[in-house]
Amino acid sequence: MNMSGRCAACKYLRRRCPSDCILSPYFPSNDPQRFTSVHRIYGACNVAKMLQELLPHLRVEAVETLCYEAQCRIQDPIYGCVGVISQLHQQIQDTECQLAKTCAEIALMNSDGQEPPLAQVDQQI
């Protein structure tokens, strides 16, 4: 059993927390919401099975990913983390478009014989 008692998973499931509890290192009792979210989306049994199939050094990252994906799915039941990825992709496209417009404006200003505003400021100093 854990030094601090049962882990959040065992508390939520109302069971004794064995010393070899696969969920204990990743769901401490002081953060019950972390397990609740993951359990709500994936189920405790499925999470435990996933963790058992992974090498121990990969489990922390897997749990972090499951927690993030579960939170995204709770906030956006339709798209989950794919919605976040789509928003970020759209922001990248918008920024690239704005950059291309700015570069075109600079090129136009240079072709008209005008100096960019920063060069004008440098000459005045």
Side-chain angles (χ1 to χ4, degrees):
M1 187 185 301
N2 286 334
M3 296 298 288
S4 62
R6 298 182 296 174
C7 65
C10 292
K11 278 185 178 181
Y12 183 87
L13 299 170
R14 296 185 177 133
R15 65 182 187 195
R16 186 181 62 80
C17 191
S19 60
D20 62 344
C21 178
I22 188 93
L23 302 172
S24 177
Y26 314 106
F27 299 103
S29 60
N30 62 353
D31 191 4
Q33 186 59 40
R34 183 174 162 96
F35 175 74
T36 303
S37 301
V38 172
H39 174 63
R40 181 175 164 191
I41 300 301
Y42 300 105
C45 246
N46 290 329
V47 173
K49 286 177 189 175
M50 282 187 251
L51 292 177
Q52 287 172 343
E53 291 178 8
L54 290 173
L55 296 172
H57 71 278
L58 299 174
R59 292 177 183 167
V60 171
E61 191 171 342
V63 170
E64 292 300 321
T65 302
L66 290 171
C67 290
Y68 179 75
E69 290 181 2
Q71 281 299 325
C72 288
R73 183 62 63 184
I74 289 168
Q75 291 172 359
D76 184 352
I78 304 298
Y79 295 107
C81 64
V82 173
V84 174
I85 293 168
S86 296
Q87 287 174 343
L88 293 172
H89 184 66
Q90 185 62 48
Q91 287 178 0
I92 290 170
Q93 287 179 331
D94 293 346
T95 303
E96 287 174 340
C97 184
Q98 185 62 41
L99 177 62
K101 286 179 185 178
T102 302
C103 288
E105 289 173 5
I106 291 171
L108 182 62
M109 290 173 69
N110 287 338
S111 69
D112 288 343
Q114 296 178 358
E115 294 182 24
L118 289 178
Q120 291 173 358
V121 170
D122 287 342
Q123 286 179 355
Q124 291 175 356
I125 297 177

